[in-house]
Amino acid sequence: PDTAFEPGQVLIAIGTESCNLGTAVANWIANTNAHPVIRQNAYRYKVISGAGRFEQVGLSWCKNAFSSLQNSLCCTCLPGGDGSHLGVGCSDPYGAGLNGDQTNPEPNWLINAHTGVFTYPPGNVAVSGAVARRCQIATTDVENTGTGTRYFGEGQYVTADDSAAGNQNNNASYREMTCASGSFTFTGTTQRQLPAIRAWAVAESGVTLTDVQVPGDGLITVGSKATNLGGGQWHYEYAVYNLNSDRNVGSFSVPVPAGVTVTNIGFHDVNYHDNDGNGSANFSGTDWVGALSGGAVSWACQTQ
């Protein structure tokens, strides 16, 4: 990854390489909406008071793909592709510099993550600052790795022809990153076709991951872990990961048995930025306040 800095933020850009594992060429047509858009995300795993926590700490706008090379990273690249179509078995790279370019990205809100359909051109949303639109991580979420804290970068492709074929659920991959003095470096290998939420179960034993395929919409994965703190106390962590549901998630609820005392209800999310939201105003960054009521702990977002 490339790293840059701004007061209160660390900015990263992650290089990606896509692979056409199908049986038909994939559209890669520039200056239309018939090409992929590429999102970059960052996540942190951290042990706090003996309990692990996995949370998203950064997101980017979506880079518009514009030309496909015909490489052979994943398998044998077959003839038939060109700059506007990724051939069968072929791969196409975008370095961190291209994925971090500020003039090319599309705001997330204009993209249907399930169908892959998006508005193009996206309009004239002003770029503010030297690092706008890149994957932004608050400095309060950045610390050196090696003491129970680990970071993971993720790249995800969204495109209409792949979605129409029902193959959109394997388009995210992750790779671990180390952090020293605010700068990030890749370590290990890319975990292809696996979203970053899968890294939680790798980093910590006892994590349960449950996939929820929304009918007629996208895939959501719910992660959970219960940690025995002793003395009759347990710590519960939940992570709700939205891979490509355009419907999104508006609330989350956990049933609580009668007689159980609930304390220290928390919440963490990542904010949209640079006017990424309807009408070029950011989606609300207000935290979901958790509360115990009616035999459940529940969180809900503001009405968008």
Side-chain angles (χ1 to χ4, degrees):
D2 284 346
T3 306
F5 301 92
E6 184 175 87
Q9 295 177 326
V10 174
L11 297 304
I12 66 170
I14 299 171
T16 57
E17 185 153 4
S18 54
C19 298
N20 182 359
L21 303 180
T23 58
V25 298
N27 287 332
W28 226 267
I29 305 171
N31 301 317
T32 71
N33 67 347
H35 60 251
V37 290
I38 306 161
R39 164 86 164 253
Q40 303 150 77
N41 302 297
Y43 303 83
R44 179 180 66 179
Y45 169 77
K46 183 177 182 179
V47 178
I48 302 174
S49 300
R53 178 173 298 170
F54 192 87
E55 53 198 5
Q56 187 174 7
V57 293
L59 62 80
S60 72
W61 281 30
C62 290
K63 175 254 181 68
N64 279 286
F66 55 85
S67 180
S68 60
L69 301 181
Q70 309 296 315
N71 292 347
S72 296
L73 174 71
C74 306
C75 45
T76 301
C77 180
L78 301 179
D82 53 40
S84 296
H85 302 88
L86 183 61
V88 174
C90 305
S91 63
D92 175 72
Y94 285 115
L98 283 176
N99 281 348
D101 177 73
Q102 291 180 267
T103 59
N104 173 284
E106 183 108 0
N108 292 279
W109 77 275
L110 289 176
I111 302 161
N112 185 310
H114 174 59
T115 65
V117 175
F118 57 91
T119 301
Y120 191 90
N124 297 318
V125 180
V127 176
S128 177
V131 287
R133 305 180 177 183
R134 297 180 69 182
C135 184
Q136 302 182 4
I137 308 174
T139 54
T140 52
D141 287 329
V142 175
E143 55 193 88
N144 292 340
T145 53
T147 57
T149 300
R150 299 168 69 175
Y151 288 92
F152 301 89
E154 179 186 62
Q156 180 178 356
Y157 282 63
V158 175
T159 188
D161 51 353
D162 194 53
S163 297
N167 294 323
Q168 66 269 64
N169 286 353
N170 65 353
N171 286 358
S173 299
Y174 76 87
R175 186 172 178 180
E176 187 163 1
M177 304 184 294
T178 59
C179 180
S181 301
S183 293
F184 289 86
T185 304
F186 281 135
T187 185
T189 58
T190 300
Q191 302 304 300
R192 296 177 181 170
Q193 304 181 68
L194 295 176
I197 186 67
R198 302 290 167 186
W200 188 11
V202 175
E204 183 177 12
S205 62
V207 174
T208 298
L209 298 174
T210 303
D211 290 337
V212 181
Q213 183 68 57
V214 181
D217 196 61
L219 178 64
I220 294 167
T221 300
V222 179
S224 61
K225 171 67 186 292
T227 302
N228 190 346
L229 302 179
Q233 289 188 318
W234 290 75
H235 179 92
Y236 295 87
E237 281 287 336
Y238 301 92
V240 180
Y241 173 94
N242 181 358
L243 177 71
N244 53 21
S245 170
D246 189 66
R247 180 179 174 183
N248 298 306
V249 177
S251 62
F252 180 68
S253 184
V254 179
V256 177
V260 172
T261 300
V262 178
T263 60
N264 300 326
I265 301 173
F267 176 83
H268 183 281
D269 70 350
V270 61
N271 292 331
Y272 285 82
H273 52 81
D274 301 309
N275 301 317
D276 187 0
N278 301 77
S280 297
N282 288 334
F283 284 120
S284 172
T286 302
D287 285 354
W288 301 20
V289 178
L292 175 63
S293 178
V297 178
S298 300
W299 295 260
C301 71
Q302 289 187 320
T303 300
Q304 298 293 334

